[in-house]
PDB file of all heavy atoms in Angstrom:
ATOM      1  N   VAL A   1     187.453 303.893 131.962  1.00 93.00           N
ATOM      2  CA  VAL A   1     188.711 304.606 132.240  1.00 93.00           C
ATOM      3  C   VAL A   1     189.666 304.468 131.054  1.00 93.00           C
ATOM      4  O   VAL A   1     190.319 305.428 130.646  1.00 93.00           O
ATOM      5  CB  VAL A   1     189.363 304.057 133.530  1.00 93.00           C
ATOM      6  CG1 VAL A   1     190.769 304.634 133.711  1.00 93.00           C
ATOM      7  CG2 VAL A   1     188.497 304.404 134.743  1.00 93.00           C
ATOM      8  N   GLY A   2     189.741 303.261 130.484  1.00 94.00           N
ATOM      9  CA  GLY A   2     190.581 303.056 129.305  1.00 94.00           C
ATOM     10  C   GLY A   2     190.123 303.896 128.125  1.00 94.00           C
ATOM     11  O   GLY A   2     190.938 304.483 127.399  1.00 94.00           O
ATOM     12  N   ALA A   3     188.796 303.975 127.928  1.00 95.00           N
ATOM     13  CA  ALA A   3     188.257 304.801 126.849  1.00 95.00           C
ATOM     14  C   ALA A   3     188.572 306.271 127.100  1.00 95.00           C
ATOM     15  O   ALA A   3     188.868 307.024 126.158  1.00 95.00           O
ATOM     16  CB  ALA A   3     186.753 304.592 126.732  1.00 95.00           C
ATOM     17  N   GLY A   4     188.527 306.688 128.365  1.00 94.00           N
ATOM     18  CA  GLY A   4     188.877 308.065 128.697  1.00 94.00           C
ATOM     19  C   GLY A   4     190.324 308.370 128.369  1.00 94.00           C
ATOM     20  O   GLY A   4     190.657 309.473 127.923  1.00 94.00           O
ATOM     21  N   PHE A   5     191.189 307.406 128.586  1.00 96.00           N
ATOM     22  CA  PHE A   5     192.606 307.573 128.237  1.00 96.00           C
ATOM     23  C   PHE A   5     192.756 307.784 126.729  1.00 96.00           C
ATOM     24  O   PHE A   5     193.544 308.631 126.287  1.00 96.00           O
ATOM     25  CB  PHE A   5     193.402 306.352 128.681  1.00 96.00           C
ATOM     26  CG  PHE A   5     194.890 306.470 128.465  1.00 96.00           C
ATOM     27  CD1 PHE A   5     195.704 307.016 129.442  1.00 96.00           C
ATOM     28  CD2 PHE A   5     195.468 306.033 127.278  1.00 96.00           C
ATOM     29  CE1 PHE A   5     197.077 307.133 129.249  1.00 96.00           C
ATOM     30  CE2 PHE A   5     196.837 306.152 127.068  1.00 96.00           C
ATOM     31  CZ  PHE A   5     197.644 306.703 128.058  1.00 96.00           C
ATOM     32  N   VAL A   6     192.009 307.030 125.929  1.00 97.00           N
ATOM     33  CA  VAL A   6     192.071 307.170 124.471  1.00 97.00           C
ATOM     34  C   VAL A   6     191.561 308.543 124.038  1.00 97.00           C
ATOM     35  O   VAL A   6     192.132 309.176 123.142  1.00 97.00           O
ATOM     36  CB  VAL A   6     191.266 306.049 123.782  1.00 97.00           C
ATOM     37  CG1 VAL A   6     191.187 306.284 122.273  1.00 97.00           C
ATOM     38  CG2 VAL A   6     191.900 304.692 124.067  1.00 97.00           C
ATOM     39  N   VAL A   7     190.499 309.023 124.680  1.00 97.00           N
ATOM     40  CA  VAL A   7     190.008 310.374 124.379  1.00 97.00           C
ATOM     41  C   VAL A   7     191.090 311.405 124.702  1.00 97.00           C
ATOM     42  O   VAL A   7     191.332 312.347 123.939  1.00 97.00           O
ATOM     43  CB  VAL A   7     188.713 310.686 125.159  1.00 97.00           C
ATOM     44  CG1 VAL A   7     188.316 312.146 124.958  1.00 97.00           C
ATOM     45  CG2 VAL A   7     187.585 309.782 124.715  1.00 97.00           C
ATOM     46  N   GLY A   8     191.752 311.234 125.846  1.00 95.00           N
ATOM     47  CA  GLY A   8     192.847 312.137 126.204  1.00 95.00           C
ATOM     48  C   GLY A   8     193.961 312.113 125.177  1.00 95.00           C
ATOM     49  O   GLY A   8     194.535 313.147 124.832  1.00 95.00           O
ATOM     50  N   MET A   9     194.280 310.926 124.679  1.00 96.00           N
ATOM     51  CA  MET A   9     195.310 310.790 123.647  1.00 96.00           C
ATOM     52  C   MET A   9     194.913 311.550 122.380  1.00 96.00           C
ATOM     53  O   MET A   9     195.735 312.266 121.785  1.00 96.00           O
ATOM     54  CB  MET A   9     195.503 309.304 123.314  1.00 96.00           C
ATOM     55  CG  MET A   9     196.573 309.021 122.275  1.00 96.00           C
ATOM     56  SD  MET A   9     196.568 307.273 121.743  1.00 96.00           S
ATOM     57  CE  MET A   9     196.738 306.439 123.333  1.00 96.00           C
ATOM     58  N   SER A  10     193.656 311.421 121.969  1.00 97.00           N
ATOM     59  CA  SER A  10     193.209 312.116 120.761  1.00 97.00           C
ATOM     60  C   SER A  10     193.271 313.632 120.940  1.00 97.00           C
ATOM     61  O   SER A  10     193.664 314.357 120.021  1.00 97.00           O
ATOM     62  CB  SER A  10     191.784 311.678 120.407  1.00 97.00           C
ATOM     63  OG  SER A  10     190.833 312.127 121.350  1.00 97.00           O
ATOM     64  N   CYS A  11     192.892 314.110 122.128  1.00 96.00           N
ATOM     65  CA  CYS A  11     192.997 315.551 122.415  1.00 96.00           C
ATOM     66  C   CYS A  11     194.451 316.014 122.338  1.00 96.00           C
ATOM     67  O   CYS A  11     194.753 317.073 121.769  1.00 96.00           O
ATOM     68  CB  CYS A  11     192.438 315.851 123.802  1.00 96.00           C
ATOM     69  SG  CYS A  11     190.649 315.694 123.965  1.00 96.00           S
ATOM     70  N   ALA A  12     195.343 315.226 122.924  1.00 94.00           N
ATOM     71  CA  ALA A  12     196.758 315.582 122.951  1.00 94.00           C
ATOM     72  C   ALA A  12     197.330 315.719 121.546  1.00 94.00           C
ATOM     73  O   ALA A  12     198.026 316.692 121.225  1.00 94.00           O
ATOM     74  CB  ALA A  12     197.544 314.534 123.739  1.00 94.00           C
ATOM     75  N   PHE A  13     197.059 314.742 120.697  1.00 96.00           N
ATOM     76  CA  PHE A  13     197.591 314.771 119.338  1.00 96.00           C
ATOM     77  C   PHE A  13     197.064 315.991 118.574  1.00 96.00           C
ATOM     78  O   PHE A  13     197.820 316.666 117.866  1.00 96.00           O
ATOM     79  CB  PHE A  13     197.212 313.497 118.588  1.00 96.00           C
ATOM     80  CG  PHE A  13     197.922 312.265 119.086  1.00 96.00           C
ATOM     81  CD1 PHE A  13     197.534 311.008 118.655  1.00 96.00           C
ATOM     82  CD2 PHE A  13     198.974 312.347 119.989  1.00 96.00           C
ATOM     83  CE1 PHE A  13     198.186 309.862 119.096  1.00 96.00           C
ATOM     84  CE2 PHE A  13     199.621 311.211 120.448  1.00 96.00           C
ATOM     85  CZ  PHE A  13     199.222 309.962 120.006  1.00 96.00           C
ATOM     86  N   ALA A  14     195.757 316.279 118.720  1.00 97.00           N
ATOM     87  CA  ALA A  14     195.163 317.407 117.998  1.00 97.00           C
ATOM     88  C   ALA A  14     195.696 318.740 118.502  1.00 97.00           C
ATOM     89  O   ALA A  14     196.031 319.630 117.713  1.00 97.00           O
ATOM     90  CB  ALA A  14     193.643 317.361 118.129  1.00 97.00           C
ATOM     91  N   GLU A  15     195.804 318.881 119.806  1.00 94.00           N
ATOM     92  CA  GLU A  15     196.295 320.143 120.367  1.00 94.00           C
ATOM     93  C   GLU A  15     197.734 320.413 119.956  1.00 94.00           C
ATOM     94  O   GLU A  15     198.101 321.544 119.618  1.00 94.00           O
ATOM     95  CB  GLU A  15     196.175 320.101 121.892  1.00 94.00           C
ATOM     96  CG  GLU A  15     194.750 320.099 122.397  1.00 94.00           C
ATOM     97  CD  GLU A  15     194.621 319.557 123.797  1.00 94.00           C
ATOM     98  OE1 GLU A  15     195.650 319.344 124.470  1.00 94.00           O
ATOM     99  OE2 GLU A  15     193.476 319.329 124.224  1.00 94.00           O
ATOM    100  N   GLY A  16     198.570 319.367 119.994  1.00 92.00           N
ATOM    101  CA  GLY A  16     199.955 319.527 119.563  1.00 92.00           C
ATOM    102  C   GLY A  16     200.038 319.910 118.104  1.00 92.00           C
ATOM    103  O   GLY A  16     200.857 320.757 117.709  1.00 92.00           O
ATOM    104  N   ALA A  17     199.178 319.313 117.270  1.00 95.00           N
ATOM    105  CA  ALA A  17     199.169 319.623 115.839  1.00 95.00           C
ATOM    106  C   ALA A  17     198.727 321.053 115.589  1.00 95.00           C
ATOM    107  O   ALA A  17     199.323 321.781 114.776  1.00 95.00           O
ATOM    108  CB  ALA A  17     198.242 318.651 115.108  1.00 95.00           C
ATOM    109  N   ILE A  18     197.686 321.490 116.296  1.00 95.00           N
ATOM    110  CA  ILE A  18     197.153 322.842 116.096  1.00 95.00           C
ATOM    111  C   ILE A  18     198.171 323.900 116.482  1.00 95.00           C
ATOM    112  O   ILE A  18     198.402 324.874 115.758  1.00 95.00           O
ATOM    113  CB  ILE A  18     195.852 323.023 116.898  1.00 95.00           C
ATOM    114  CG1 ILE A  18     194.746 322.148 116.299  1.00 95.00           C
ATOM    115  CG2 ILE A  18     195.418 324.485 116.930  1.00 95.00           C
ATOM    116  CD1 ILE A  18     193.540 321.973 117.204  1.00 95.00           C
ATOM    117  N   PHE A  19     198.824 323.709 117.633  1.00 88.00           N
ATOM    118  CA  PHE A  19     199.769 324.734 118.060  1.00 88.00           C
ATOM    119  C   PHE A  19     201.165 324.555 117.495  1.00 88.00           C
ATOM    120  O   PHE A  19     202.078 325.307 117.828  1.00 88.00           O
ATOM    121  CB  PHE A  19     199.762 324.881 119.583  1.00 88.00           C
ATOM    122  CG  PHE A  19     198.776 325.930 120.001  1.00 88.00           C
ATOM    123  CD1 PHE A  19     197.487 325.586 120.361  1.00 88.00           C
ATOM    124  CD2 PHE A  19     199.103 327.270 119.945  1.00 88.00           C
ATOM    125  CE1 PHE A  19     196.559 326.548 120.694  1.00 88.00           C
ATOM    126  CE2 PHE A  19     198.195 328.248 120.278  1.00 88.00           C
ATOM    127  CZ  PHE A  19     196.913 327.894 120.654  1.00 88.00           C
ATOM    128  N   ALA A  20     201.339 323.582 116.610  1.00 89.00           N
ATOM    129  CA  ALA A  20     202.506 323.585 115.739  1.00 89.00           C
ATOM    130  C   ALA A  20     202.218 324.495 114.547  1.00 89.00           C
ATOM    131  O   ALA A  20     203.118 325.131 113.999  1.00 89.00           O
ATOM    132  CB  ALA A  20     202.815 322.171 115.258  1.00 89.00           C
ATOM    133  N   GLN A  21     200.952 324.582 114.159  1.00 89.00           N
ATOM    134  CA  GLN A  21     200.573 325.407 113.024  1.00 89.00           C
ATOM    135  C   GLN A  21     200.533 326.892 113.355  1.00 89.00           C
ATOM    136  O   GLN A  21     200.901 327.725 112.534  1.00 89.00           O
ATOM    137  CB  GLN A  21     199.189 324.983 112.497  1.00 89.00           C
ATOM    138  CG  GLN A  21     199.189 323.681 111.712  1.00 89.00           C
ATOM    139  CD  GLN A  21     197.844 323.427 111.058  1.00 89.00           C
ATOM    140  OE1 GLN A  21     197.154 322.484 111.401  1.00 89.00           O
ATOM    141  NE2 GLN A  21     197.478 324.271 110.114  1.00 89.00           N
ATOM    142  N   VAL A  22     200.062 327.251 114.551  1.00 87.00           N
ATOM    143  CA  VAL A  22     199.830 328.661 114.881  1.00 87.00           C
ATOM    144  C   VAL A  22     201.073 329.536 114.696  1.00 87.00           C
ATOM    145  O   VAL A  22     201.061 330.490 113.913  1.00 87.00           O
ATOM    146  CB  VAL A  22     199.251 328.803 116.300  1.00 87.00           C
ATOM    147  CG1 VAL A  22     199.302 330.262 116.762  1.00 87.00           C
ATOM    148  CG2 VAL A  22     197.817 328.296 116.343  1.00 87.00           C
ATOM    149  N   PRO A  23     202.186 329.264 115.399  1.00 81.00           N
ATOM    150  CA  PRO A  23     203.353 330.144 115.224  1.00 81.00           C
ATOM    151  C   PRO A  23     204.018 329.981 113.867  1.00 81.00           C
ATOM    152  O   PRO A  23     204.687 330.905 113.400  1.00 81.00           O
ATOM    153  CB  PRO A  23     204.293 329.721 116.361  1.00 81.00           C
ATOM    154  CG  PRO A  23     203.893 328.332 116.698  1.00 81.00           C
ATOM    155  CD  PRO A  23     202.430 328.239 116.426  1.00 81.00           C
ATOM    156  N   ALA A  24     203.854 328.815 113.225  1.00 81.00           N
ATOM    157  CA  ALA A  24     204.422 328.631 111.893  1.00 81.00           C
ATOM    158  C   ALA A  24     203.683 329.478 110.865  1.00 81.00           C
ATOM    159  O   ALA A  24     204.294 330.030 109.938  1.00 81.00           O
ATOM    160  CB  ALA A  24     204.376 327.155 111.494  1.00 81.00           C
ATOM    161  N   MET A  25     202.391 329.621 111.014  1.00 82.00           N
ATOM    162  CA  MET A  25     201.580 330.408 110.082  1.00 82.00           C
ATOM    163  C   MET A  25     201.689 331.903 110.358  1.00 82.00           C
ATOM    164  O   MET A  25     201.683 332.718 109.433  1.00 82.00           O
ATOM    165  CB  MET A  25     200.114 329.982 110.171  1.00 82.00           C
ATOM    166  CG  MET A  25     199.822 328.586 109.662  1.00 82.00           C
ATOM    167  SD  MET A  25     198.092 328.096 109.954  1.00 82.00           S
ATOM    168  CE  MET A  25     197.248 329.175 108.802  1.00 82.00           C
ATOM    169  N   PHE A  26     201.797 332.287 111.646  1.00 82.00           N
ATOM    170  CA  PHE A  26     201.790 333.700 112.027  1.00 82.00           C
ATOM    171  C   PHE A  26     203.003 334.005 112.919  1.00 82.00           C
ATOM    172  O   PHE A  26     202.858 334.254 114.112  1.00 82.00           O
ATOM    173  CB  PHE A  26     200.500 334.038 112.776  1.00 82.00           C
ATOM    174  CG  PHE A  26     199.244 333.806 111.984  1.00 82.00           C
ATOM    175  CD1 PHE A  26     198.565 332.592 112.068  1.00 82.00           C
ATOM    176  CD2 PHE A  26     198.726 334.794 111.159  1.00 82.00           C
ATOM    177  CE1 PHE A  26     197.402 332.379 111.353  1.00 82.00           C
ATOM    178  CE2 PHE A  26     197.557 334.584 110.433  1.00 82.00           C
ATOM    179  CZ  PHE A  26     196.898 333.382 110.530  1.00 82.00           C
ATOM    180  N   PRO A  27     204.206 334.011 112.362  1.00 76.00           N
ATOM    181  CA  PRO A  27     205.415 334.130 113.178  1.00 76.00           C
ATOM    182  C   PRO A  27     205.564 335.454 113.922  1.00 76.00           C
ATOM    183  O   PRO A  27     206.174 335.483 114.994  1.00 76.00           O
ATOM    184  CB  PRO A  27     206.549 333.941 112.157  1.00 76.00           C
ATOM    185  CG  PRO A  27     205.941 334.291 110.838  1.00 76.00           C
ATOM    186  CD  PRO A  27     204.527 333.844 110.930  1.00 76.00           C
ATOM    187  N   ASP A  28     205.037 336.559 113.393  1.00 73.00           N
ATOM    188  CA  ASP A  28     205.209 337.855 114.044  1.00 73.00           C
ATOM    189  C   ASP A  28     204.020 338.266 114.894  1.00 73.00           C
ATOM    190  O   ASP A  28     204.009 339.364 115.454  1.00 73.00           O
ATOM    191  CB  ASP A  28     205.485 338.944 112.998  1.00 73.00           C
ATOM    192  CG  ASP A  28     206.854 338.781 112.351  1.00 73.00           C
ATOM    193  OD1 ASP A  28     207.757 338.235 113.020  1.00 73.00           O
ATOM    194  OD2 ASP A  28     207.008 339.194 111.184  1.00 73.00           O
ATOM    195  N   SER A  29     203.025 337.419 114.973  1.00 77.00           N
ATOM    196  CA  SER A  29     201.854 337.727 115.804  1.00 77.00           C
ATOM    197  C   SER A  29     201.348 336.466 116.483  1.00 77.00           C
ATOM    198  O   SER A  29     200.143 336.252 116.611  1.00 77.00           O
ATOM    199  CB  SER A  29     200.743 338.367 114.960  1.00 77.00           C
ATOM    200  OG  SER A  29     200.440 337.575 113.828  1.00 77.00           O
ATOM    201  N   SER A  30     202.278 335.630 116.917  1.00 75.00           N
ATOM    202  CA  SER A  30     201.899 334.338 117.497  1.00 75.00           C
ATOM    203  C   SER A  30     201.081 334.501 118.768  1.00 75.00           C
ATOM    204  O   SER A  30     200.177 333.703 119.045  1.00 75.00           O
ATOM    205  CB  SER A  30     203.144 333.492 117.774  1.00 75.00           C
ATOM    206  OG  SER A  30     204.007 334.147 118.683  1.00 75.00           O
ATOM    207  N   GLY A  31     201.380 335.529 119.560  1.00 81.00           N
ATOM    208  CA  GLY A  31     200.625 335.735 120.789  1.00 81.00           C
ATOM    209  C   GLY A  31     199.180 336.097 120.506  1.00 81.00           C
ATOM    210  O   GLY A  31     198.259 335.559 121.111  1.00 81.00           O
ATOM    211  N   SER A  32     198.965 337.018 119.562  1.00 85.00           N
ATOM    212  CA  SER A  32     197.611 337.443 119.223  1.00 85.00           C
ATOM    213  C   SER A  32     196.796 336.294 118.651  1.00 85.00           C
ATOM    214  O   SER A  32     195.640 336.082 119.026  1.00 85.00           O
ATOM    215  CB  SER A  32     197.661 338.600 118.217  1.00 85.00           C
ATOM    216  OG  SER A  32     198.287 339.732 118.776  1.00 85.00           O
ATOM    217  N   VAL A  33     197.395 335.535 117.721  1.00 89.00           N
ATOM    218  CA  VAL A  33     196.675 334.414 117.115  1.00 89.00           C
ATOM    219  C   VAL A  33     196.462 333.302 118.142  1.00 89.00           C
ATOM    220  O   VAL A  33     195.380 332.709 118.214  1.00 89.00           O
ATOM    221  CB  VAL A  33     197.423 333.882 115.880  1.00 89.00           C
ATOM    222  CG1 VAL A  33     196.697 332.673 115.291  1.00 89.00           C
ATOM    223  CG2 VAL A  33     197.546 334.975 114.823  1.00 89.00           C
ATOM    224  N   ALA A  34     197.478 333.030 118.946  1.00 87.00           N
ATOM    225  CA  ALA A  34     197.324 332.024 120.002  1.00 87.00           C
ATOM    226  C   ALA A  34     196.214 332.429 120.963  1.00 87.00           C
ATOM    227  O   ALA A  34     195.467 331.575 121.464  1.00 87.00           O
ATOM    228  CB  ALA A  34     198.634 331.841 120.756  1.00 87.00           C
ATOM    229  N   GLY A  35     196.087 333.728 121.216  1.00 89.00           N
ATOM    230  CA  GLY A  35     195.028 334.207 122.091  1.00 89.00           C
ATOM    231  C   GLY A  35     193.649 333.934 121.525  1.00 89.00           C
ATOM    232  O   GLY A  35     192.744 333.507 122.230  1.00 89.00           O
ATOM    233  N   VAL A  36     193.494 334.188 120.208  1.00 92.00           N
ATOM    234  CA  VAL A  36     192.199 333.936 119.564  1.00 92.00           C
ATOM    235  C   VAL A  36     191.900 332.442 119.545  1.00 92.00           C
ATOM    236  O   VAL A  36     190.814 331.998 119.926  1.00 92.00           O
ATOM    237  CB  VAL A  36     192.186 334.501 118.126  1.00 92.00           C
ATOM    238  CG1 VAL A  36     190.899 334.104 117.415  1.00 92.00           C
ATOM    239  CG2 VAL A  36     192.348 336.011 118.144  1.00 92.00           C
TER     240      VAL A  36
END
């Protein structure tokens, strides 16, 4: 269970990082890029 929590933490950090990049890179088409 503790290891599962650490996996969840790693997913959280990566997902937050990725979707900080999406609208910053594509400000006028964030929905389309977020969809892909």
Side-chain angles (χ1 to χ4, degrees):
V1 171
F5 185 89
V6 173
V7 173
M9 181 189 305
S10 68
C11 290
F13 290 170
E15 292 159 10
I18 292 165
F19 268 94
Q21 285 188 246
V22 167
M25 292 174 70
F26 300 93
D28 291 332
S29 53
S30 60
S32 297
V33 178
V36 174

